[in-house]
Amino acid sequence: MKINRDFLAPKGDYRNLIVYKKAECIYALTYHFAHRFLKIGDRTIDQMVQAARSGKQNIIEGSAASATSRESEIKLFNVAKASFDELLADYEDYILTRGLSYWDEAKKSRVRDYCKKQTDASHYLAIAPSRDAETIANLSITLIRQELYLLIRLIEAAKQKFIAEGGIREEMTRARLNHRSKTN
């Protein structure tokens, strides 16, 4: 049997997306941070970990949904963005309420460059035990801001693809019309 690729074309593997790899890094670092620096029983532990997990998982779901529903794809990527926005606010609150400092522009710039190249969650988990709360919070903020930028680009690309190609109904109609023109 020949596989018809006129519509419902196979999508790429979300694991290869930089936006997903960075989400894995954020989740791993947040899990470590929350369990190391927040007190047992603090609801913020669950909230931070769940926001990081939600962001990562919604990238997976959005990628899977993209085959049949551009609307769902866009919505799920927006949910991922909202989760990371929430997580960013939690890290900023942590720094503010504990009288910690944000990194200066020179340090932020160096770390931004470093984080652009480093997308392996195990790397961040390896360095986390030797870093203090202020360092991990600032590092996480840097990663989350990069993630938000990537998600905005991903959402815009999905929107443009919808405008250019339509959704599943349009793809099915084009495939049917194409089939009819070949058989007539």
Side-chain angles (χ1 to χ4, degrees):
M1 178 177 165
K2 182 183 172 201
I3 295 176
N4 183 321
R5 297 188 186 274
D6 292 335
F7 67 96
L8 287 182
K11 302 295 180 184
D13 184 3
Y14 65 86
R15 288 178 184 90
N16 293 325
L17 297 173
I18 293 172
V19 71
Y20 177 75
K21 290 178 182 182
K22 201 158 291 281
E24 283 186 314
C25 296
I26 294 165
Y27 174 74
L29 206 51
T30 298
Y31 188 90
H32 174 86
F33 176 88
H35 288 93
R36 180 173 166 204
F37 295 111
L38 298 173
K39 292 179 184 167
I40 294 175
D42 185 341
R43 288 184 28 184
T44 310
I45 294 171
D46 289 338
Q47 290 171 328
M48 289 180 76
V49 171
Q50 287 307 313
R53 183 184 181 282
S54 173
K56 180 175 75 72
Q57 296 303 110
N58 277 290
I59 293 168
I60 296 169
E61 286 186 64
S63 295
S66 69
T68 56
S69 174
R70 301 232 196 277
E71 179 183 358
S72 292
E73 174 188 28
I74 293 166
K75 284 181 181 178
L76 288 163
F77 289 157
N78 269 301
V79 171
K81 182 185 172 303
S83 294
F84 286 119
D85 280 327
E86 176 186 344
L87 184 60
L88 177 63
D90 284 335
Y91 276 112
E92 290 171 340
D93 289 347
Y94 184 91
I95 288 175
L96 177 70
T97 60
R98 283 149 179 94
L100 303 176
S101 298
Y102 291 105
W103 285 337
D104 62 34
E105 284 306 313
K107 178 124 186 187
K108 279 195 258 187
S109 179
R110 286 193 309 276
V111 173
R112 259 193 312 268
D113 290 341
Y114 174 80
C115 290
K116 281 181 190 175
K117 297 172 192 154
Q118 187 53 256
T119 59
D120 183 1
S122 63
H123 172 78
Y124 291 102
L125 283 177
I127 66 169
S130 64
R131 304 306 195 275
D132 62 14
E134 182 176 287
T135 300
I136 295 176
N138 276 287
L139 176 60
S140 296
I141 287 169
T142 301
L143 284 165
I144 293 166
R145 286 190 174 139
Q146 288 179 346
E147 179 72 0
L148 291 170
Y149 171 78
L150 292 170
L151 279 166
I152 289 167
R153 290 185 57 202
L154 189 63
I155 292 163
E156 287 305 314
K159 286 165 50 178
Q160 290 306 314
K161 191 166 187 167
F162 175 77
I163 290 167
E165 299 173 13
I168 186 70
R169 285 192 176 103
E170 289 91 350
E171 287 182 31
M172 292 170 72
T173 299
R174 279 192 297 274
R176 182 71 181 133
L177 292 173
N178 185 34
H179 175 74
R180 281 183 184 168
S181 70
K182 288 178 183 176
T183 58
N184 291 337

